[in-house]
Amino acid sequence: MGRRFCLALVLTALPSVTANEETPVHQESWGDFWLFRFLINAAGYASIVVPGFLLIQYFKRKNYLETGRGICFPVIKSCVFGNEAKSALQDDALLGVRSETVESTTARQIFKLLFCATGLQISYLTWGVLQERVMTRTYGASESGPGEKFKDSQFLVFMNRILACTVAGLYCALTKQPRHGAPMYKYSFASLSNILSSWCQYEALKYISFPTQVLAKASKVIPVMFMGKLVSRKSYEYWEYLTAALISVGVSMFLLSNTHDKHLSTVTTFSGVILLAGYIAFDSFTSNWQDALFTYKMSSVQMMFGVNVFSCLFTVGSLLEQGALVESVRFMARHSEFAAHAVLLSVCSAFGQLFIFYTINQFGAAVFTIIMTLRQVFAILLSCLIYGHAVTVVGGLGVAVVFTALFLRVYARSRMKKRAKKPPVGEGTVQKV
């Protein structure tokens, strides 16, 4: 039974040609097959993770924290053991930020909100347009030849992470940050899952349309709720089930309405579904692991720096082992347009993360969720306008249902929080609802 399932999985994920004659998905060899590339990348990461794990276990068994000495001691202590002393610096800094926010004038707050919303929209809308351009279109096309596509998603992940690491490092160096206490190796878990989720996201565009990917990412609340109920035995409010049902209905409307459309730039294949499922799974692990790391009272930018340091290490190691780094650099040299797109993609990703941290710090998660939900709507519209994705009336209604449900979730959650903050009603008083 297990062998039949594995065979079916491989057969359904085998290279396929899309309905569009202009930009078919070509897999010229097994080297281009996504499952093969995934396993090769994973082997490259394992070649770094396994020796690192063995070293950490060795230092812990040897009780190096008490017996270690020499020049390498501070580095090993920081990487393996960390500084367990929790600093109150971050708490003070947050209080200072909150008091500043409260005392700020309304005009200043409106300006900040517009600044955050504009920064997030520009960063991530540009990032989405470029992501689709790089992964689905050719470079160097002319009358003499059709051009060539860039195929290595891992190199794009590396480009994004190295710039994000540089930006976060400079920010930490130039601003006052809490005393760092987490063992550095703990960032590697979030880093690895973050790399894999980004790789799945890029690779999925070879099989599915960008609007489909955006809707799938918007609907990840459904598997999150399912896993919460199954694993953690969580209970949910009725409105959470209602909005989850609306999201599933909307996504189904969109997908089914486009099943018979022969003019989409890509078709929804089983490979695309698997890659999207991988993205959602890895992304969910990343966020949960980062939440656990925040018990060390670090700042968001420190988290960004720590995760991206390991992301750079893993991706550059894997690229060098495969010989893909030199090949990708040569592709950049051949196509200056691709080089500009890759750099701009990395800039948008890095500064987008900073805008995320600043927005949540200033206005909270609810405002940030609304801005990013609007961004998803605009991203679908831009993709359809620029790349000619056809969306039927039923598909458009499905998109509207999904984002209406997402806005309802934000509204209901904010109402629940306001009720929880209200002081208890005294005896003899009547609470009006």
Side-chain angles (χ1 to χ4, degrees):
M1 184 67 182
R3 291 180 180 178
R4 290 179 182 178
F5 175 77
C6 293
L7 180 61
L9 178 63
V10 171
L11 289 176
T12 51
L14 278 174
S16 60
V17 179
T18 64
N20 188 351
E21 296 179 358
E22 295 181 1
T23 56
V25 176
H26 291 297
Q27 302 289 198
E28 299 173 353
S29 65
W30 279 100
D32 297 325
F33 180 31
W34 70 265
L35 184 57
F36 178 79
R37 294 181 73 90
F38 178 85
L39 294 175
I40 292 296
N41 291 346
Y45 305 146
S47 68
I48 300 173
V49 171
V50 172
F53 173 78
L54 294 176
L55 277 175
I56 290 170
Q57 294 303 311
Y58 168 77
F59 286 124
K60 286 185 174 180
R61 284 198 304 268
K62 193 179 178 183
N63 198 15
Y64 187 82
L65 190 61
E66 295 181 2
T67 61
R69 294 290 183 272
I71 301 175
C72 297
F73 177 76
V75 177
I76 296 174
K77 178 186 176 185
S78 176
C79 292
V80 179
F81 302 99
N83 182 9
E84 296 299 330
K86 305 286 181 70
S87 174
L89 177 60
Q90 187 189 30
D91 296 335
D92 297 338
L94 288 176
L95 287 174
V97 170
R98 288 169 186 164
S99 62
E100 181 186 350
T101 302
V102 172
E103 293 172 2
S104 297
T105 62
T106 304
R108 184 179 177 85
Q109 285 298 98
I110 292 174
F111 175 78
K112 282 184 179 180
L113 181 59
L114 289 174
F115 174 73
C116 292
T118 304
L120 286 168
Q121 298 295 342
I122 291 175
S123 297
Y124 283 105
L125 288 176
T126 306
W127 178 80
V129 170
L130 288 174
Q131 183 188 34
E132 187 169 10
R133 169 66 181 89
V134 169
M135 297 307 300
T136 63
R137 299 296 192 267
T138 59
Y139 288 93
S142 62
E143 295 180 357
S144 59
E148 56 181 334
K149 280 188 176 181
F150 184 74
K151 300 176 182 179
D152 199 340
S153 302
Q154 185 176 215
F155 179 75
L156 294 176
V157 177
F158 167 69
M159 287 283 291
N160 290 348
R161 298 304 178 265
I162 194 169
L163 186 60
C165 180
T166 304
V167 171
L170 289 173
Y171 188 92
C172 290
L174 297 175
T175 60
K176 192 176 182 180
Q177 297 292 319
R179 182 183 178 186
H180 190 267
M184 287 296 293
Y185 81 89
K186 290 193 174 183
Y187 290 109
S188 62
F189 297 95
S191 173
L192 195 58
S193 59
N194 181 252
I195 292 170
L196 293 173
S197 68
S198 297
W199 183 89
C200 289
Q201 179 176 273
Y202 281 117
E203 202 73 11
L205 284 176
K206 297 178 181 178
Y207 302 94
I208 61 172
S209 66
F210 183 78
T212 303
Q213 187 191 76
V214 173
L215 277 188
K217 289 161 67 176
S219 62
K220 69 180 181 180
V221 63
I222 300 171
V224 168
M225 286 181 62
F226 176 76
M227 292 301 294
K229 190 76 175 176
L230 184 67
V231 178
S232 305
R233 305 296 181 185
K234 290 183 179 179
S235 59
Y236 296 97
E237 300 288 338
Y238 72 91
W239 56 266
E240 294 181 282
Y241 289 108
L242 174 63
T243 53
L246 285 174
I247 290 171
S248 62
V249 168
V251 172
S252 300
M253 289 171 62
F254 178 81
L255 295 179
L256 293 175
S257 68
N258 292 319
T259 300
H260 306 292
D261 191 347
K262 296 183 180 180
H263 300 287
L264 286 173
S265 62
T266 49
V267 293
T268 304
T269 63
F270 191 70
S271 293
V273 173
I274 294 176
L275 288 165
L276 277 180
Y279 161 77
I280 292 172
F282 290 126
D283 188 62
S284 300
F285 176 85
T286 302
S287 57
N288 282 293
W289 188 268
Q290 286 178 329
D291 287 341
L293 276 181
F294 274 120
T295 57
Y296 288 94
K297 298 187 182 297
M298 68 186 68
S299 70
S300 298
V301 182
Q302 285 176 323
M303 173 72 75
M304 177 180 171
F305 178 72
V307 171
N308 283 301
V309 164
F310 280 96
S311 296
C312 292
L313 175 64
F314 290 142
T315 51
V316 75
S318 180
L319 286 167
L320 287 172
E321 289 173 9
Q322 299 175 40
L325 183 62
V326 175
E327 184 180 343
S328 297
V329 172
R330 286 174 179 171
F331 190 94
M332 291 181 73
R334 289 196 303 271
H335 305 289
S336 58
E337 186 184 8
F338 168 76
H341 288 166
V343 171
L344 186 55
L345 194 72
S346 303
V347 170
C348 291
S349 177
F351 284 94
Q353 290 184 56
L354 292 179
F355 274 112
I356 288 175
F357 299 144
Y358 183 74
T359 304
I360 293 175
N361 190 18
Q362 292 292 322
F363 300 101
V367 173
F368 166 73
T369 304
I370 292 173
I371 294 173
M372 295 305 281
T373 304
L374 286 172
R375 190 269 303 182
Q376 291 175 321
V377 177
F378 296 147
I380 291 178
L381 293 175
L382 267 179
S383 179
C384 292
L385 289 172
I386 296 174
Y387 299 108
H389 297 298
V391 179
T392 64
V393 175
V394 176
L397 288 175
V399 174
V401 169
V402 170
F403 289 108
T404 300
L406 290 175
F407 281 119
L408 284 174
R409 286 184 68 86
V410 176
Y411 173 75
R413 189 167 293 162
S414 63
R415 293 271 297 180
M416 293 288 290
K417 287 183 178 179
K418 286 180 180 179
R419 287 184 182 179
K421 289 180 181 178
K422 284 184 177 180
V425 181
E427 295 182 3
T429 61
V430 178
Q431 184 177 10
K432 295 182 180 180
V433 178

